Amino acid sequence: MELFTKTLFLCLALAMTHGAPVQDAPVGDGDASSALPDRCDGIEFDAITPDEKGITFFFKGPYLWRGFRGSAQLSNESFKELDDILNGHVDAAFRMHNPDNPDHDHIYFFMADKVYSYYDHVLEDGYPKTIQEGFPGVPTHLDAAVECPRGECMADSVLFFKGNNVHVYDISTKVVKTKTWSHLPVCTSAFRWLEHYYCFHGNNFTRFHPVTGHVNGTYPKDARNYFMACPNRGHGGGYTTPKCSEVELDAITIDDTGKSYFFKGPIYMRLDTHRDGRHAFPITRSWAEITSGVDAVFSFSDKMYMIKDDKVYIYKTGAHYTLVQGYPKTLSEELGIEGPVDAAFVCPNENIVHIIKGQDLFDVNLRVSPRSATAGLLLPLSNIDAALCGPEGIRLFRGSMYYEYETVLLLTTSRIAPIAMPVTSAMLGCRDEE
Ligand SMILES: *[C@@H]1O[C@H](CO)[C@@H](O)[C@H](O)[C@H]1NC(C)=O
Ligand SMILES: *[C@@H]1O[C@H](CO)[C@@H](O)[C@H](O)[C@H]1NC(C)=O
Ligand SMILES: *[C@@H]1O[C@H](CO)[C@@H](O)[C@H](O)[C@H]1NC(C)=O
C-alpha cells in the first residue's frame, strides 16, 4: 500500500505509458553524433497533437517527436507531404473531435493561410484548402490550435490561438467567437491531454481552463519535467509505475457515461482513456473537498458518491464534478449505515447500492427515503478493498488480486471463493512483471 501511494503520487506523465503501449517509440535521448535536435535541450514546439491512435506528436521545424520518449525524426517520414508542401514548419495542429462527423479524429495542420487534413497519416482528398474555406472566420498565420469537445466547451469546438486572442470555432455552426486572454503567455502550441488543456511557450507550459482561460496553481512549468523523458529530470525523481503485483486500491467506480476511475491514497487515475495514455492525478484536482482519500466510491444516475470514514460526499457528474449543496453528510444520515465501509458498488440499471463492510454485504435502496440498510449477508471473502459492477459482472479487488461473480445472488450464496485472478496492466495501468 505504502509503496503504491508513494510511487504514484508524484508522477511523471510519460511513466504511465508503460501500461499503454500506444505511446511507445524507440527510446533515446537524442543522439549527440547526429544533426537531429534534442528536445531535452529545451525546444519551443510549433505544434503538438495526438493522432487517431492516441500517439502524441511534437513538431519543430522539419522535425517531429513521436510519443513522450524517443528522438527526433523528419516529419515527412510520418506525414508524407508535410515537409515539401509545408516548407518544413507547421503553425498549429489539432485532432478533430466531432463524433457525428466523418472528420472525427482527423489531424489538421495549419501553415500560413492553408489547412491540411490527415487521417491514418494520409493526406485527405481535397486538401490543402485555404483556412477561409475550411474554417471560415479563423485568421491565417496561427500560433496554436487545440480541440475542445462538448462538455469541456459548450459545443464541439476548436480553440485557435494568435497572439493573446483565442478564436473559439464552433464546429457545427461555424460561428467564431474571439476572446482575449492577456494573462496567458502567447502559446506557440496547445495540447489537450486527458481532458486537461496546456499552452506551450518556450520550453515551458501553462495549464488553462478551456472556457474561461483561468490558470490555477504554479505555472509556467518546464515541459521537460512532464512531457518528455530527459536525463535527470522529472518531478519527484525515481517515479516508477507500480508493478501489478504491488497494486492495492481504495476504491474503483464506473459512471453512467462510461468514465471509470480508481482511487488510492491521495491520487486517482482515469481508466477508460488508455488511447491517450493513463496518468495519475491528485484527487483534489477533480474533487477539491476530498483531501484525505476515500474508503469507497460508487456512481448512481448522474452522481458520484465518495465515502470517507463516516462521511459521504455527493458530486454531480458533468465535465467537472461539483459537490452537491449540503454535503458531506454522515453515512448514517445519508445511507442508514454506520461507517467506516470497505467498498461499495451499484450494478448498471439498478437502484441498490451494495456496501461491503468487513465480511458483510448490506443493500441500500437509493430510490426510497429515508434510506435504510438491509441486514448484512455474509460474504465468502473478507478484506475487500474495492468493488465494481459492470457489464461483465461484479469484481471484488483484494490487494493485487480480483474475484469475479456474475450476480449479487451468486456472491452472497456461494460459500466458496472463486479463483483469484491477478490484476493486469490493461485493467489498471500497472506494470507487468518483466
Ligand atoms: C524528407 O525530407 C528530406 C529533407 O527535406 C528529404 O531528403 C527526404 O527525401 C524526405 N523523405 C521523404 C520520405 O519524403
Ligand atoms: C520558464 O518558466 C520559468 C519559471 O518557472 C522562468 O523562469 C523561465 O524564464 C521560463 N522560460 C521561458 C523560456 O519562458
Ligand atoms: C481554477 O479554480 C476554480 C475555483 O476552484 C475552478 O472553478 C476552475 O475550474 C479552475 N481552473 C482550472 C484550469 O483548473
Side-chain angles (χ1 to χ4, degrees):
M1 172 189 300
E2 279 280 282
L3 179 64
F4 188 76
T5 307
K6 246 184 272 162
T7 51
L8 267 183
F9 184 39
L10 292 171
C11 57
L12 179 64
L14 52 98
M16 288 323 296
T17 61
H18 276 294
V22 290
Q23 295 284 11
D24 281 355
V27 177
D29 297 307
D31 182 354
S33 65
S34 78
L36 296 174
D38 182 352
R39 56 179 156 178
C40 293
D41 290 341
I43 300 252
E44 181 170 83
F45 297 106
D46 296 330
I48 304 172
T49 184
D51 72 359
E52 65 288 335
K53 297 187 189 73
I55 298 169
T56 305
F57 287 85
F58 297 78
F59 295 86
K60 175 66 177 181
Y63 303 103
L64 65 73
W65 288 260
R66 183 181 183 281
F68 297 130
R69 330 178 139 254
S71 47
Q73 53 180 260
L74 280 166
S75 303
N76 62 355
E77 290 168 17
S78 282
F79 297 92
K80 249 187 170 331
E81 300 83 354
L82 212 54
D83 198 34
D84 34 299
I85 305 177
L86 300 188
N87 225 355
H89 151 233
V90 298
D91 291 335
F94 74 92
R95 181 178 73 188
M96 176 65 85
H97 183 95
N98 194 206
D100 306 333
N101 198 296
D103 296 337
H104 182 57
D105 269 354
H106 288 202
I107 307 182
Y108 289 78
F109 291 102
F110 295 81
M111 170 62 190
D113 61 344
K114 295 278 195 316
V115 54
Y116 301 76
S117 170
Y118 280 79
Y119 187 75
D120 202 15
H121 296 242
V122 176
L123 185 66
E124 291 289 289
D125 283 346
Y127 285 88
K129 292 179 179 174
T130 63
I131 294 178
Q132 191 49 39
E133 194 186 342
F135 295 86
V138 171
T140 62
H141 299 90
L142 291 162
D143 289 328
V146 65
E147 70 280 11
C148 186
R150 182 169 54 194
E152 294 164 37
C153 281
M154 299 307 178
D156 283 333
S157 311
V158 185
L159 310 184
F160 290 101
F161 292 81
K162 183 167 179 171
N164 284 120
N165 287 339
V166 182
H167 306 272
V168 184
Y169 180 87
D170 181 319
I171 294 166
S172 54
T173 65
K174 300 190 183 339
V175 170
V176 181
K177 287 199 182 122
T178 301
K179 305 174 180 180
T180 303
W181 288 346
S182 309
H183 62 283
L184 260 194
V186 171
C187 314
T188 61
S189 55
F191 180 39
R192 170 179 177 263
W193 193 60
L194 303 182
E195 302 178 344
H196 296 300
Y197 290 78
Y198 302 93
C199 158
F200 284 71
H201 45 97
N203 55 275
N204 289 336
F205 69 93
T206 296
R207 186 162 74 92
F208 64 94
H209 190 283
V211 176
T212 61
H214 282 159
V215 175
N216 288 345
T218 320
Y219 290 98
K221 290 185 169 141
D222 193 319
R224 291 173 290 181
N225 293 336
Y226 296 82
F227 288 96
M228 50 210 73
C230 294
N232 307 318
R233 284 189 173 269
H235 53 293
Y239 170 79
T240 47
T241 308
K243 284 186 194 163
C244 288
S245 61
E246 288 167 355
V247 162
E248 217 174 310
L249 306 179
D250 288 336
I252 187 165
T253 193
I254 180 163
D255 76 12
D256 282 2
T257 63
K259 289 185 182 178
S260 58
Y261 302 89
F262 79 68
F263 300 85
K264 177 63 203 176
I267 68 98
Y268 77 91
M269 190 187 288
R270 176 93 180 265
L271 293 171
D272 55 307
T273 52
H274 47 269
R275 186 176 73 158
D276 290 342
R278 284 174 174 146
H279 184 49
F281 293 108
I283 296 174
T284 48
R285 190 189 266 198
S286 291
W287 298 274
E289 296 79 10
I290 307 292
T291 52
S292 54
V294 293
D295 294 332
V297 176
F298 66 90
S299 302
F300 177 63
S301 71
D302 61 346
K303 307 263 185 347
M304 191 181 282
Y305 291 63
M306 306 181 78
I307 301 173
K308 176 65 184 174
D309 301 326
D310 68 338
K311 297 266 188 321
V312 189
Y313 297 74
I314 303 183
Y315 286 86
K316 187 143 177 37
T317 307
H320 302 286
Y321 292 91
T322 34
L323 187 65
V324 174
Q325 221 182 353
Y327 287 86
K329 288 186 180 169
T330 63
L331 259 177
S332 55
E333 191 183 357
E334 181 64 30
L335 298 174
I337 190 169
E338 298 295 326
V341 303
D342 295 317
F345 62 93
V346 175
C347 292
N349 308 316
E350 284 190 4
N351 298 326
I352 291 173
V353 56
H354 306 281
I355 298 176
I356 298 174
K357 201 178 146 171
Q359 204 171 341
D360 290 314
L361 182 85
F362 299 88
D363 287 355
V364 177
N365 188 331
L366 295 165
R367 293 283 185 214
V368 300
S369 178
R371 289 168 178 164
S372 60
T374 55
L377 293 172
L378 192 66
L379 293 177
L381 292 165
S382 56
N383 297 319
I384 297 302
D385 297 324
L388 187 69
C389 185
E392 313 87 6
I394 299 156
R395 282 183 176 170
L396 303 184
F397 293 85
R398 183 164 74 179
S400 62
M401 307 302 274
Y402 73 98
Y403 302 83
E404 255 177 3
Y405 291 87
E406 266 175 60
T407 63
V408 175
L409 187 66
L410 286 173
L411 169 62
T412 51
T413 53
S414 65
R415 294 277 59 95
I416 306 162
I419 295 167
M421 287 174 282
V423 301
T424 63
S425 61
M427 282 166 76
L428 297 178
C430 50
R431 187 157 48 92
D432 289 318
E433 308 301 312
E434 272 93 39

